[in-house]
Amino acid sequence: MTTAMKAKAAPRTGVDWFLLLIKSVMFFFIATGVLLFIFQQIDPGNPIASRLNDDATGLTADQFEGLVIAGLSQGAMYGLIALGYSMVYGVLGFINFAHGEVFMVGAMTGMITSNKLHEAGAWESNFVPSLLFIVLLSIVVSTLTAVVMERVAYRPLRGSPRLIPLITSIGVSFFIQNVSVVLLGPGAKSYPALPDWLSKKRDIWFISIEGTRLLVVLVAAVSMVGLWYLVERTKTGKAMRAVAEDKEIASLMGINVNRIIVTTFAVGGAMAGVAGILWGIMFRSVIHTTGFLPGIKAFSAAVVGGIGNLNGAMAGGLSLGSAEAIAPLVILEPWGVSGVSQLRDAVAFSVLILVLLVKPTGLFGERLSSEDRG
Amino acid sequence: MTDTTVLAPARGVLDQDWRKIVNYGLLLALAEVFIALANMPVGLDDFILIEPILSLGYVSLLWLPLLLGYSIGTEKVLEGVTSHAKGAREVVAGACVGLIGGGGVSGLVLLLDNFDLRDPLVNWSPQLLALLAFDNGVGYGVGVWLAIGGGLGLLGGSMHLIAPLARRVVSTMVLAVVGVAVLETILSDIAEDLFLEWLADWIYFIRGGVSLHGAATVAVVAGAYAVWGSKAVKGAKASYQALEGVERKQANKVSIAVVVAATILLPLVLGKITNELLANVGLFLLLALGLNIVIGLAGILDLGYVAFFAVGGYTTAILTSPNRGDSWPTWIPQVWWVVALMLVIVLAGLTGLFIGAPVIRMRGDYLAIVTLGFGEIIRLLFLSDWLGGFTGGAQGVTNVPGVQVFGLANVRGTDPRAVFYLVAFFCAIAIYVSWRLEKSRIGRAWMAVREDESVAEAMGINTVNVKLLAFVVGAVLASFSGAIFAAKVGSVFPTSFIILVSIVILIVVIVGGMGNIAGVVAGSVVLIGVLGGPKQPGLLQEFSEFKLLIYGALLVWMMLKRPEGLIPNVRRTRELHQDEFLQDAWLKGQIDEGDETGDGGEVAPA
Amino acid sequence: MSGERLLTINNLSVTFGGLHALRELDFHVDEGEIVSVIGPNGAGKTTFFNMISGMVTPTSGEIIFENQSLIGLDPNQVTARGIARTFQNVRLFANMTILENVMVAQHCRTKQGLWGALFQTSSFKREEEEIREWGEKVLGFFGTRLVGYRLDQPASVLSYANRRRLEIARAMATKPTILLLDEPVAGMNPKESEELTRLIGELRSEWGFTIVMIEHDMGVVRDVSDRVVVLDHGETIAQGSYEEVSTNPDVIEAYLGRPAEEAS
Ligand SMILES: Nc1ncnc2c1ncn2[C@@H]1O[C@H](COP(=O)(O)OP(=O)(O)OP(=O)(O)O)[C@@H](O)[C@H]1O
Ligand SMILES: [Mg+2]
């Protein structure tokens, strides 16, 4: 804006210079990668494209479309989980590290019930009702998990220094994972096969998309609308926003803060439960660590979108999902990095770091009470 | 404390808080069923505590009713508040809780008998049923569990009735017998080297739990200690605390000398397995000491701490092993461990700066997640094909030679005792560094940053530099551990550096006591030594199945009930129990209320 | 009685979102002055301090201290230049001892690092000794209240008035040229504030600090200040001696125009 603002923004200390350097290098790396990729697309044989990577081939339109769709559907799932992080952070100001585990519990519930239904034959004969049933059950169990978690582990810690509940939630996460190990065994477990009509690829307008991915995107969209309605149009939602703004004043206004906090956890848990089922039908395999990486990535998505901001959470999820699907091939591969698919997770974390370096309040802005912004 | 408390007469037996009883009871039932389905009774059944009557498997189900039966009767006693005398009411409450809990197990027995839920629940097995029914039919099992639950609850509740001394005697006896039984391997190992084999033979039943007469002996000794010995110990402690100035210093010197001597002598009388255990404890202690500087002193929650461990391990391995990746230019020599260590220090410090700089201005919770991300990124890079030529990818770097001590010896994993001495040496360095820094200008700045970062900044502390320094010091200490780890194991793989390691170290620091060296030592010994590290077995190998579960539960429990850790740092305790502390200080007259008279009108310290 | 110009502020503005907390403010302090800043609640006084001490960045304008601009410096750099402050809502390091509170404040005046601490060099020991002595000296300024057995007690056990005193001691410990005191007597009883008023005078006469003070207590303002600056809605509405200001119609209106707020 003015000179004074600029003066503050200019790097002064060694750390500032270093950060500027990192940002520049990253920018250079990304920009060059994209440029090289474009050269590859134009002609894989041209000398600039093959300079760093001889086997550069570029991507066909179909491949690219596949990547985008995979990224978006994965991202929609991150978005659903991210809503839980974002809501809890908005209301209580701490990262519920164990939220990923709620998602895992949802996926496990779905696995158990769908296998039972499969044994009984209902999975094949009455697929849609069965699916609805496992979604419902998973929502119930996940919601319960989230609510119990709040009651047992977080409520007693309200008002303590902000790192304390975070550390506790790490313990909760660890505990839930290992409960799953000792009760259900350590191995990966699979969902029963899906009916053909759902899993087959179909052409809609000009894109072709697997039915399951389409389902994921649709369900995410419906959940988003439902959540938007809850937060923006209902009394509970109003109360939630009030509590997020200032707990004390909200309680003076006659809002039952405890109830609102429980509701927040419940809604976040329900979303995670839905995401758990979507994970199950998309990858058809769950294990006790299923919740860990997606959880952290979903948190990253929430931060990328601006924590506390619900639309931001979904948008952050979609961006992160696409970035992690596309970036390895579009940015890393042209640089001649081999085995890029192994670096997917590293890309996701890099996105988080970059966003926090460049725009710590996220792409769409935070919505937090001032005390939590500190 | 209790002398100011007004003791009201005991309440009537039926004057109960029934809701609380039902809550406790259901909690107990749930916990018991969970423990049973988690396979603890069956999995630990072979671990005999007292031959032939008690296995750890049964104990896993028995301790809870006792504990909850006792704790239902305890009240939070605030000073100056009326509390009631204990009586039959507490006993009945305990029995009720136990009964409900026992009912839970009985219910499980019935379910086990009638349904087959083996599909999702892997431990839903006939063995479990047989164990819970005492091989004696379902009806018998149901009855016995109800009786056991009620009985143990009753016993727990009646602990309120006996005199405090008696309570102490009983609990010391029980703990001693369990402790001696659990520590069998290590104790009989020591006994052998001290020519006390006869004692071990008397106490232990041919290496399978304590014998009945052994248990009795231990109980008697422990009881005697509780009556006479503990007083003497307390007296000694009090007189130590009363020492001042030079004498205190002298006493400190003596105790340090004793600890050092024990560290040097103990491994000599221990066998290979136990020394291996100690070496692992040392490795984790070194990591925990480093993390303690970062989180305990400077208040930075670093969840990617394992990255520095990895940097230490990989740098050492690459520089010392003939088997490093093929992409390295040939002119890079293969050097001695000590030489590699110099480079490790530099690289770890640089990594600390590199990771620290971007995160240091972030707010604490973001910092935690981002450091976790960095930790993962580093591991993924080590694992990737891309850098595989340098790091060996999933195959890692093997054939790491040991530590050449000036041609005198070659310390490596095959000789755990030597490894332990090496680790102990570095732990000593880490302890010295933590101790000196805490009481210096830098340590004070760390504390100020931990308390209130923006005020610290306004008081002239360059918080960025100070926090970075903490990061770097922590990184270097962790890299020492990595360097020793590489030499000890003889190879490094990406799987040795997973996030789990960061989290286990965090748990060690927190359970031990953040910001307190003694606490961190205690935490490492108790957790890593007894339960084991992320991959390293502990003393209780039978527990490896449940170790992580216990870690998680322990972390949550500690944060809720005792956030200051086992051996608390006075300062941190105040921070975490601000309200109670202030109330206490107020009651003791330590808080000055206004001071009309110019010179303070202070109340002398209690 | 005032010496050279120490601090000059020209045309300083700050906005939070749409709120103009300070508007084109001009201000100056000369060496050895005691200047009071008064004004109704929300006038922007604390924001003014935050800006000088670098905790808030102004939207425009300049701050010149000893002929150098302070704009863009971090708070710790400002403190190192010689401007120390206290906080309106006392912000001590509550779990550090009283002595440590004043020791840590000397951070920017000392320089021993890792090396000295690890090898206990003689210069390290000497510096520690000096830090301690200076710390005890500034604490001694308030009589016996903060010394003796108190030295090793945590700051959180202090009474409210003593916390305020410790805050002042902590700011003094940074060896500043200018002390910024944000409502130093708030919450003190008349006797205590009378004593503190005297001590503020001593801060100038015996310790040589130049003082800028925010205060609502007009008695204190009258007794110690050479000059009074009145802020309202982020603007200077009057300046001058206490008598001039207290009879200024604008000032009276600013205060009386909002009687409900004047109470606090
Ligand atoms: N960080 C901030 N963000 C947004 N608004 C702020 C911030 N700090 C101060 N304000 C606003 O600026 C205005 C001036 O506040 P300031 O604290 O400076 O008043 P003051 O004169 O110190 O009042 P008091 O006498 O009550 O201490 C207030 O309206 C306040 O709400
Ligand atoms: Mg103010």
Side-chain angles (χ1 to χ4, degrees):
Chain A
M1 268 182 265
T2 59
T3 47
M5 285 301 260
K6 276 191 205 117
K8 181 87 182 174
R12 280 164 288 107
T13 62
V15 173
D16 286 317
W17 283 110
F18 181 73
L19 291 187
L20 191 67
L21 181 74
I22 292 186
K23 281 185 239 174
S24 320
V25 168
M26 294 287 257
F27 180 76
F28 171 76
F29 188 81
I30 294 171
T32 315
V34 172
L35 266 182
L36 287 172
F37 176 75
I38 293 172
F39 277 111
Q40 274 178 19
Q41 290 307 106
I42 297 168
D43 170 20
N46 83 46
I48 306 179
S50 53
R51 195 176 175 83
L52 289 166
N53 188 354
D54 322 328
D55 342 309
T57 49
L59 294 172
T60 64
D62 278 353
Q63 282 172 326
F64 195 77
E65 186 189 301
L67 280 182
V68 173
I69 288 175
L72 286 180
S73 52
Q74 177 81 50
M77 213 169 337
Y78 292 156
L80 277 183
I81 311 172
L83 290 170
Y85 283 102
S86 210
M87 287 171 71
V88 169
Y89 204 106
V91 170
L92 281 177
F94 87 97
I95 302 172
N96 178 13
F97 198 84
H99 186 65
E101 264 40 78
V102 178
F103 158 76
M104 182 272 285
V105 168
M108 283 288 178
T109 313
M111 182 276 297
I112 294 170
T113 26
S114 61
N115 276 321
K116 289 283 169 210
L117 289 170
H118 172 69
E119 273 166 36
W123 185 254
E124 283 74 18
S125 58
N126 281 312
F127 178 72
V128 175
S130 306
L131 187 64
L132 283 180
F133 176 70
I134 69 166
V135 170
L136 269 183
L137 201 68
S138 160
I139 288 180
V140 170
V141 175
S142 301
T143 307
L144 263 179
T145 312
V147 169
V148 169
M149 193 155 59
E150 192 273 334
R151 182 69 194 83
V152 174
Y154 305 145
R155 193 176 298 181
L157 292 174
R158 234 178 265 159
S160 42
R162 62 197 289 129
L163 287 186
I164 302 289
L166 172 60
I167 296 175
T168 312
S169 69
I170 294 174
V172 173
S173 156
F174 215 62
F175 181 72
I176 297 183
Q177 272 184 33
N178 286 293
V179 166
S180 165
V181 173
V182 294
L183 289 186
L184 306 176
K189 296 148 199 74
S190 53
Y191 271 61
L194 298 174
D196 250 359
W197 60 264
L198 180 60
S199 53
K200 80 163 186 257
K201 267 202 168 159
R202 39 185 84 225
D203 293 306
I204 300 172
W205 296 316
F206 49 91
I207 53 172
S208 82
I209 180 170
E210 277 167 51
T212 40
R213 295 194 184 279
L214 187 65
L215 183 72
V216 168
V217 175
L218 285 181
V219 171
V222 170
S223 317
M224 244 343 257
V225 172
L227 190 67
W228 174 85
Y229 183 82
L230 175 80
V231 173
E232 301 290 334
R233 286 283 177 275
T234 63
K235 228 174 144 183
T236 314
K238 224 183 226 169
M240 253 180 209
R241 281 178 288 150
V243 173
E245 199 54 48
D246 192 322
K247 275 183 276 302
E248 257 167 60
I249 295 190
S251 92
L252 288 178
M253 302 310 250
I255 294 172
N256 183 342
V257 175
N258 266 341
R259 229 195 59 210
I260 294 300
I261 291 175
V262 170
T263 316
T264 310
F265 271 89
V267 174
M271 294 285 167
V274 174
I277 297 293
L278 294 182
W279 173 281
I281 60 175
M282 203 151 109
F283 300 108
R284 294 203 28 231
S285 164
V286 279
I287 187 168
H288 59 278
T289 50
T290 289
F292 188 70
L293 267 186
I296 295 183
K297 287 186 189 167
F299 170 74
S300 306
V303 172
V304 168
I307 203 139
N309 179 336
L310 298 188
N311 300 327
M314 194 35 99
L318 294 176
S319 335
L320 192 81
S322 344
E324 116 185 332
I326 298 171
L329 287 163
V330 172
I331 296 171
L332 297 182
E333 182 114 321
W335 271 95
V337 175
S338 48
V340 286
S341 57
Q342 297 166 326
L343 295 175
R344 269 172 63 112
D345 298 341
V347 167
F349 291 125
S350 308
V351 171
L352 173 69
I353 296 167
L354 254 180
V355 168
L356 282 178
L357 279 184
V358 179
K359 201 160 184 307
T361 52
L363 300 179
F364 300 88
E366 299 182 328
R367 289 196 194 155
L368 291 174
S369 61
S370 51
E371 69 193 288
D372 290 329
R373 238 176 268 131
Chain B
M1 268 263 187
T2 37
D3 41 8
T4 56
T5 313
V6 190
L7 212 55
R11 279 171 285 185
V13 174
L14 291 180
D15 177 19
Q16 300 274 11
D17 183 353
W18 292 107
R19 235 187 108 139
K20 190 172 162 197
I21 291 182
V22 171
N23 282 346
Y24 268 58
L26 291 179
L27 185 73
L28 176 62
L30 195 72
E32 295 275 85
V33 170
F34 172 70
I35 289 174
L37 290 177
N39 200 31
M40 280 198 199
V42 177
L44 300 178
D45 197 36
D46 292 337
F47 196 116
I48 307 292
L49 284 183
I50 303 177
E51 179 72 24
I53 52 168
L54 197 62
S55 78
L56 201 55
Y58 279 111
V59 169
S60 70
L61 286 175
L62 299 183
W63 64 281
L64 262 179
L66 203 60
L67 191 72
L68 283 182
Y70 175 74
S71 59
I72 181 101
T74 51
E75 301 173 275
K76 245 199 185 146
V77 186
L78 292 174
E79 228 157 324
V81 175
T82 323
S83 89
H84 295 272
K86 309 286 183 202
R89 175 181 179 269
E90 277 65 39
V91 181
V92 171
C96 291
V97 169
L99 207 61
I100 303 178
V105 184
S106 306
L108 180 65
V109 172
L110 290 175
L111 288 175
L112 278 167
D113 190 37
N114 290 311
F115 297 92
D116 177 18
L117 293 180
R118 189 146 199 182
D119 182 2
L121 299 169
V122 285
N123 299 315
W124 192 278
S125 59
Q127 288 98 298
L128 182 61
L129 179 59
L131 185 117
L132 289 182
F134 303 94
D135 295 322
N136 240 338
V138 177
Y140 180 82
V142 169
V144 171
W145 276 110
L146 281 175
I148 290 181
L152 285 175
L154 186 125
L155 203 63
S158 51
M159 284 291 147
H160 286 291
L161 300 187
I162 59 180
L165 176 68
R167 197 149 68 212
R168 207 171 62 225
V169 169
V170 171
S171 53
T172 318
M173 281 161 114
V174 171
L175 286 181
V177 172
V178 172
V180 167
V182 162
L183 296 178
E184 175 175 358
T185 21
I186 196 164
L187 288 183
S188 51
D189 188 357
I190 296 178
E192 242 166 75
D193 278 320
L194 295 180
F195 306 106
L196 291 174
E197 217 166 342
W198 56 271
L199 185 63
D201 287 345
W202 168 255
I203 290 178
Y204 294 116
F205 183 89
I206 329 173
R207 310 278 176 274
V210 185
S211 56
L212 274 178
H213 47 260
T217 317
V218 172
V220 168
V221 173
Y225 167 81
V227 178
W228 296 289
S230 67
K231 229 180 231 155
V233 171
K234 258 193 202 138
K237 207 167 144 192
S239 61
Y240 164 77
Q241 273 161 354
L243 291 180
E244 273 186 15
V246 187
E247 282 179 49
R248 175 96 181 229
K249 262 190 191 148
Q250 218 124 42
N252 280 342
K253 266 186 199 150
V254 171
S255 41
I256 289 175
V258 170
V259 171
V260 170
T263 317
I264 294 175
L265 295 179
L266 195 62
L268 294 177
V269 298
L270 292 174
K272 201 160 179 166
I273 299 176
T274 337
N275 271 320
E276 165 81 22
L277 218 75
L278 280 182
N280 283 337
V281 169
L283 280 175
F284 277 87
L285 173 59
L286 194 48
L287 286 168
L289 285 166
L291 186 63
N292 181 48
I293 290 185
V294 182
I295 176 174
L297 296 186
I300 308 169
L301 183 55
D302 178 1
L303 293 183
Y305 196 62
V306 67
F308 307 124
F309 184 50
V311 167
Y314 265 96
T315 312
T316 312
I318 287 168
L319 284 175
T320 57
S321 159
N323 261 16
R324 61 177 171 225
D326 331 309
S327 303
W328 292 102
T330 41
W331 53 263
I332 294 184
Q334 199 181 314
V335 297
W336 276 14
W337 186 85
V338 185
V339 182
L341 191 67
M342 299 298 136
L343 203 73
V344 165
I345 295 178
V346 175
L347 276 182
L350 285 178
T351 317
L353 280 179
F354 188 85
I355 296 183
V359 302
I360 217 73
R361 290 226 179 87
M362 294 175 186
R363 51 179 186 239
D365 41 6
Y366 278 20
L367 185 147
I369 306 291
V370 172
T371 47
L372 188 148
F374 266 118
E376 259 316 79
I377 290 179
I378 288 194
R379 184 181 69 85
L380 289 168
L381 287 180
F382 281 138
L383 178 66
S384 70
D385 290 349
W386 180 37
L387 299 182
F390 298 97
T391 60
Q395 277 76 46
V397 182
T398 50
N399 249 334
V400 182
V403 181
Q404 324 272 333
V405 187
F406 306 111
L408 291 176
N410 186 7
V411 178
R412 52 185 309 158
T414 43
D415 182 1
R417 186 175 298 154
V419 175
F420 172 74
Y421 283 133
L422 185 69
V423 178
F425 175 69
F426 279 94
C427 284
I429 293 181
I431 289 176
Y432 178 81
V433 168
S434 318
W435 172 59
R436 281 302 191 198
L437 286 186
E438 188 180 351
K439 295 185 188 348
S440 76
R441 168 175 172 265
I442 293 171
R444 286 189 298 266
W446 283 339
M447 272 184 270
V449 167
R450 192 183 70 201
E451 296 253 322
D452 189 331
E453 206 172 325
S454 56
V455 175
E457 175 100 34
M459 286 301 130
I461 295 168
N462 184 334
T463 50
V464 170
N465 288 357
V466 165
K467 282 162 74 181
L468 268 181
L469 186 64
F471 230 79
V472 169
V473 173
V476 170
L477 292 182
S479 72
F480 286 160
S481 186
I484 302 173
F485 176 81
K488 169 177 180 278
V489 180
S491 54
V492 287
F493 304 105
T495 46
S496 310
F497 306 108
I498 46 180
I499 292 179
L500 185 63
V501 179
S502 293
I503 294 187
V504 167
I505 306 166
L506 176 74
I507 296 177
V508 167
V509 172
I510 286 180
V511 169
M514 270 189 278
N516 186 348
I517 297 169
V520 173
V521 175
S524 316
V525 171
V526 171
L527 294 185
I528 307 297
V530 177
L531 289 176
K535 298 230 159 115
Q536 297 72 6
L539 191 58
L540 295 182
Q541 300 205 7
E542 290 78 0
F543 266 76
S544 57
E545 228 182 301
F546 314 110
K547 150 171 95 185
L548 298 180
L549 181 78
I550 296 175
Y551 276 165
L554 206 58
L555 181 56
V556 178
W557 190 81
M558 281 307 241
M559 290 320 281
L560 291 177
K561 298 291 176 202
R562 208 180 150 85
E564 67 273 23
L566 287 178
I567 303 185
N569 175 326
V570 184
R571 213 186 293 275
R572 283 293 242 188
T573 313
R574 279 201 299 261
E575 200 173 311
L576 295 162
H577 295 278
Q578 192 71 258
D579 305 341
E580 295 149 56
F581 172 74
L582 286 178
Q583 187 189 12
D584 246 34
W586 180 73
L587 285 164
K588 288 187 200 139
Q590 279 181 357
I591 290 202
D592 53 345
E593 289 292 322
D595 41 359
E596 307 285 309
T597 60
D599 58 13
E602 327 285 64
V603 188
Chain C
M1 67 182 294
S2 52
E4 273 172 54
R5 178 94 4 139
L6 265 185
L7 180 73
T8 317
I9 288 172
N10 290 326
N11 207 10
L12 196 77
S13 300
V14 70
T15 49
F16 295 119
L19 177 84
H20 288 271
L22 289 178
R23 222 187 293 234
E24 295 170 7
L25 192 81
D26 292 324
F27 180 83
H28 67 91
V29 192
D30 295 335
E31 195 179 341
E33 259 192 316
I34 297 183
V35 180
S36 292
V37 178
I38 62 171
N41 293 112
K45 305 179 298 291
T46 300
T47 308
F48 177 60
F49 270 20
N50 285 344
M51 210 146 33
I52 300 176
S53 56
M55 299 177 86
V56 167
T57 314
T59 357
S60 67
E62 53 181 9
I63 307 176
I64 293 170
F65 174 65
E66 292 177 332
N67 299 323
Q68 279 174 309
S69 170
L70 294 184
I71 299 283
L73 293 190
D74 284 336
N76 67 306
Q77 293 168 314
V78 175
T79 310
R81 292 275 177 90
I83 300 182
R85 69 170 296 177
T86 66
F87 295 88
Q88 181 176 357
N89 51 340
V90 188
R91 289 169 80 177
L92 292 167
F93 302 120
N95 299 302
M96 293 171 74
T97 67
I98 288 163
L99 184 61
E100 280 170 342
N101 264 281
V102 286
M103 284 172 90
V104 77
Q106 296 167 57
H107 192 86
C108 60
R109 302 280 171 243
T110 46
K111 54 181 188 300
Q112 286 293 323
L114 281 185
W115 185 268
L118 292 186
F119 298 98
Q120 296 284 302
T121 57
S122 55
S123 55
F124 172 83
K125 286 185 185 157
R126 200 173 334 117
E127 191 184 274
E128 281 290 291
E129 196 47 44
E130 284 165 11
I131 293 176
R132 199 187 163 92
E133 271 169 21
W134 177 252
E136 291 189 11
K137 187 166 173 221
V138 293
L139 289 174
F141 178 62
F142 294 100
T144 56
R145 291 188 192 89
L146 300 176
V147 292
Y149 73 92
R150 282 256 183 251
L151 286 177
D152 295 321
Q153 286 197 318
S156 54
V157 306
L158 289 177
S159 72
Y160 188 71
N162 274 343
R163 285 185 211 189
R164 282 219 169 280
R165 294 187 183 107
L166 179 54
E167 265 229 331
I168 298 176
R170 189 177 63 178
M172 290 161 68
T174 66
K175 303 186 180 163
T177 316
I178 300 185
L179 262 179
L180 308 177
L181 306 177
D182 198 342
E183 306 199 9
V185 307
M188 289 191 177
N189 65 34
K191 208 168 154 191
E192 288 167 336
S193 59
E194 194 178 306
E195 188 212 354
L196 195 65
T197 312
R198 183 172 54 74
L199 288 178
I200 290 175
E202 275 179 31
L203 279 178
R204 167 173 60 185
S205 57
E206 321 242 310
W207 294 69
F209 296 131
T210 302
I211 293 165
V212 182
M213 173 179 85
I214 294 175
E215 194 43 76
H216 279 298
D217 185 329
M218 286 307 152
V220 177
V221 173
R222 184 189 59 220
D223 290 346
V224 300
S225 21
D226 301 325
R227 194 150 56 81
V228 180
V229 174
V230 190
L231 286 187
D232 189 24
H233 293 301
E235 287 178 288
T236 326
I237 57 168
Q239 260 207 68
S241 69
Y242 177 78
E243 283 71 29
E244 286 162 25
V245 164
S246 59
T247 51
N248 185 318
D250 287 345
V251 176
I252 295 173
E253 196 211 300
Y255 273 88
L256 295 185
R258 280 169 288 169
E261 290 180 16
E262 193 204 25
S264 52

